[in-house]
Amino acid sequence: MSTDQPEPDAPAGSEETDALLFGEWSVDDIEFQDPSTERYITVTPIGHTMGRHADKQFKKSEISIVERLINRLMQTDENTGKKQMATQITRDAFEQIHNQTDENPIQILVRAVENSAPREETVRLKYGGISVPKAVDISPQRRVDQALKFLAEGVLGDSFKTESDASEALARQLMGAANNDVGTYAVNQKEEKERVAAAAR
C-alpha cells in the first residue's frame, strides 16, 4: 500500500511567480523614485496582451509599461501594426542595455519614463479674442503618456536614415533618459516643455 499522499495546495498568494519578461528579465524588486507616476507604471512579465484592454477606456495604465513602449514604437508611418518587429526591437535593446550596464533593463525603462515625464505644460486660454498661454500641472497618467511619446520620437529620430538600427537607438535613448542626460531627446523635450510653462506662469 502506497503511503504517498498528495501535498496540500499552497495558500493563494504564498508562492512567487517565476514568470520572466521575454523569458529573461524579472519584474520583481523594481524600484520607483517618483510616487506620483508609480500607480500608472505597471510592470508585468507579459509583453503582448493581444489587445485585451482595447474595449476598456482609461485602462491603459494597467498594461505593462513594456508593452506600452512597444505600442508607441510602432506608431509611425513605416511601422504601423508591426508589433512583432517592435517587440523584437525592444527585446534586442534590453539585451544591449543589460550587456552595457549589467542592470535589469526593466528598471532602466522605469527610470527613463520617470525622468522623461514633464510636470508642467501650457494651455491656451482666450480672453476676449486674445489667446494667452497659461501654465498648468500635468496629470500623472498624461506624464507617463508624454514620456513614452518622447522616447519613441527619440528612437525614430536617432535611427531613421542613419547607420544605427532601431534597437541600438532605443538602448541609447533609454540609458540616456535613465541617467537624466539632457542630450537625450526625451529629457530635452521634457526640459523644454517645462521651460515654456515656467515662462507662462
Side-chain angles (χ1 to χ4, degrees), residues 19-196:
L20 302 174
L21 179 69
F22 299 143
E24 294 186 60
W25 314 114
S26 171
V27 297
D28 300 327
D29 303 323
I30 300 297
E31 296 178 1
F32 296 89
Q33 298 174 345
D34 189 340
S36 68
T37 57
E38 180 176 354
R39 176 184 168 192
Y40 299 92
I41 299 178
T42 303
V43 180
T44 70
I46 300 171
H48 192 351
T49 57
M50 309 292 182
R52 288 187 203 116
H53 59 277
D55 61 338
K56 299 174 184 173
Q57 191 176 16
F58 303 122
K59 292 289 186 178
K60 58 186 173 184
S61 58
E62 296 178 8
I63 308 167
S64 167
I65 192 68
V66 177
E67 183 175 11
R68 294 190 64 192
L69 175 65
I70 291 169
N71 291 342
R72 265 294 178 183
L73 290 175
M74 64 178 187
Q75 288 182 345
T76 59
D77 291 340
E78 297 82 11
N79 300 327
T80 302
K82 299 179 182 177
K83 189 156 190 176
Q84 292 300 325
M85 184 179 75
T87 302
Q88 189 60 49
I89 288 170
T90 305
R91 194 171 194 160
D92 293 344
F94 278 14
E95 290 277 0
Q96 294 176 37
I97 290 169
H98 179 69
N99 291 338
Q100 294 181 43
T101 65
D102 204 28
E103 288 190 62
N104 186 340
I106 303 173
Q107 179 67 69
I108 297 290
L109 170 60
V110 169
R111 208 177 305 146
V113 170
E114 290 176 336
N115 290 340
S116 304
R119 292 177 288 264
E120 283 186 306
E121 65 181 347
T122 55
V123 296
R124 292 268 173 194
L125 300 179
K126 286 200 171 183
Y127 294 106
I130 300 173
S131 184
V132 179
K134 175 72 174 174
V136 295
D137 293 334
I138 303 180
S139 69
Q141 182 158 291
R142 179 167 169 78
R143 290 185 65 203
V144 175
D145 292 345
Q146 291 281 292
L148 292 171
K149 175 190 173 190
F150 293 155
L151 288 168
E153 287 176 350
V155 172
L156 178 63
D158 205 7
S159 63
F160 187 65
K161 292 186 178 179
T162 67
E163 295 181 0
S164 298
D165 63 20
S167 60
E168 291 175 7
L170 177 58
R172 276 198 303 271
Q173 292 293 323
L174 290 178
M175 288 187 291
N179 293 327
N180 212 13
D181 180 5
V182 183
T184 305
Y185 179 87
V187 178
N188 187 18
Q189 287 296 301
K190 169 207 165 186
E191 296 286 340
E192 178 64 23
K193 191 176 277 281
E194 290 182 346
R195 195 179 307 120
V196 172

